[in-house]
Amino acid sequence: MKWTLSQLQKYRSKDFPIDETVNVDEVMKLNPEIRGASPMHVTGRTDIDSAKVTFHLNIKGHLILPCSRTLVDVNYPINVETTETFLLKGLDYETEEEVHQVKGDVIDLNPILHEILLLEVPMQVFCEDSSEEGAPQSGKDWEVIQEQDKQDKVDPRLAGLAQFFDQNDPSSDS
């Protein structure tokens, strides 16, 4: 996803849509936790004027990350909306948003896509699958219980206490 400034200036007053599929294998070299990456589908539009070029992008795809419990591969979906601005002239542009300087005569979005994907990697990923390759769900003297199961069960050691208040004590009528 590279364009020269002269290519972009042709679309100054016209619509410049973006609809590309980008291979982002480089992101696996930048973060060894990422085991794989699907080609990312990048869509959006570009606003071009004499001082800046603004890309409004939507990035969709998925990364393959290790489960934090079992190290099983997990498909982690990516769906990111971002706006990236490149300044064509000097640093005289005041804004709250982050801007990029154009280096040379080419605008290259690939390093920015890699940076966005690296920022989307969560601290922990858990596989939802309870299959054989996932985390074991029970063992000797233990089992994984869900929160709903925990609320429905009554501890057998306390079952006698549950009936305590249901009994009518005739000696307490006085």
Side-chain angles (χ1 to χ4, degrees):
M1 295 192 45
K2 291 183 183 180
W3 299 276
T4 63
L5 295 179
S6 59
Q7 285 176 322
L8 291 173
Q9 289 299 337
K10 292 178 186 175
Y11 294 97
R12 185 185 265 184
S13 60
K14 300 175 188 169
D15 190 30
F16 183 62
I18 296 173
D19 188 1
E20 292 189 31
T21 302
V22 180
N23 192 357
V24 291
D25 290 335
E26 182 71 25
V27 81
M28 291 184 289
K29 296 175 186 171
L30 299 172
N31 185 348
E33 291 251 330
I34 300 173
R35 296 180 176 173
S38 72
M40 296 293 162
H41 187 221
V42 180
T43 57
R45 64 182 175 82
T46 306
D47 297 328
I48 304 164
D49 63 26
S50 62
K52 64 182 176 168
V53 177
T54 304
F55 294 92
H56 305 278
L57 304 173
N58 183 353
I59 306 165
K60 288 185 181 179
H62 71 271
L63 299 175
I64 298 175
L65 302 170
C67 174
S68 295
R69 288 188 200 124
T70 63
L71 299 178
V72 173
D73 288 349
V74 177
N75 282 338
Y76 184 75
I78 300 291
N79 187 0
V80 180
E81 296 275 337
T82 184
T83 301
E84 302 295 329
T85 302
F86 287 84
L87 297 181
L88 302 178
K89 298 182 180 176
L91 294 171
D92 300 337
Y93 191 72
E94 294 284 329
T95 183
E96 292 286 324
E97 66 187 44
E98 183 178 336
V99 294
H100 309 280
Q101 287 292 320
V102 176
K103 295 176 182 162
D105 198 25
V106 177
I107 293 179
D108 186 7
L109 281 180
N110 287 327
I112 293 166
L113 290 177
H114 295 154
E115 180 182 331
I116 291 168
L117 292 176
L118 288 174
L119 291 173
E120 286 297 309
V121 174
M123 296 286 279
Q124 292 183 332
V125 178
F126 298 108
C127 62
E128 298 294 324
D129 191 16
S130 61
S131 66
E132 294 173 7
E133 54 184 64
Q137 298 298 305
S138 63
K140 182 179 179 185
D141 298 330
W142 69 274
E143 68 177 317
V144 176
I145 59 172
Q146 303 296 328
E147 186 69 28
Q148 185 178 20
D149 297 338
K150 185 178 176 183
Q151 291 174 351
D152 294 343
K153 280 188 175 178
V154 175
D155 190 341
R157 297 172 293 179
L158 302 176
L161 288 176
Q163 298 170 358
F164 179 74
F165 293 108
D166 294 338
Q167 296 175 354
N168 289 332
D169 190 7
S171 63
S172 63
D173 287 339
S174 54

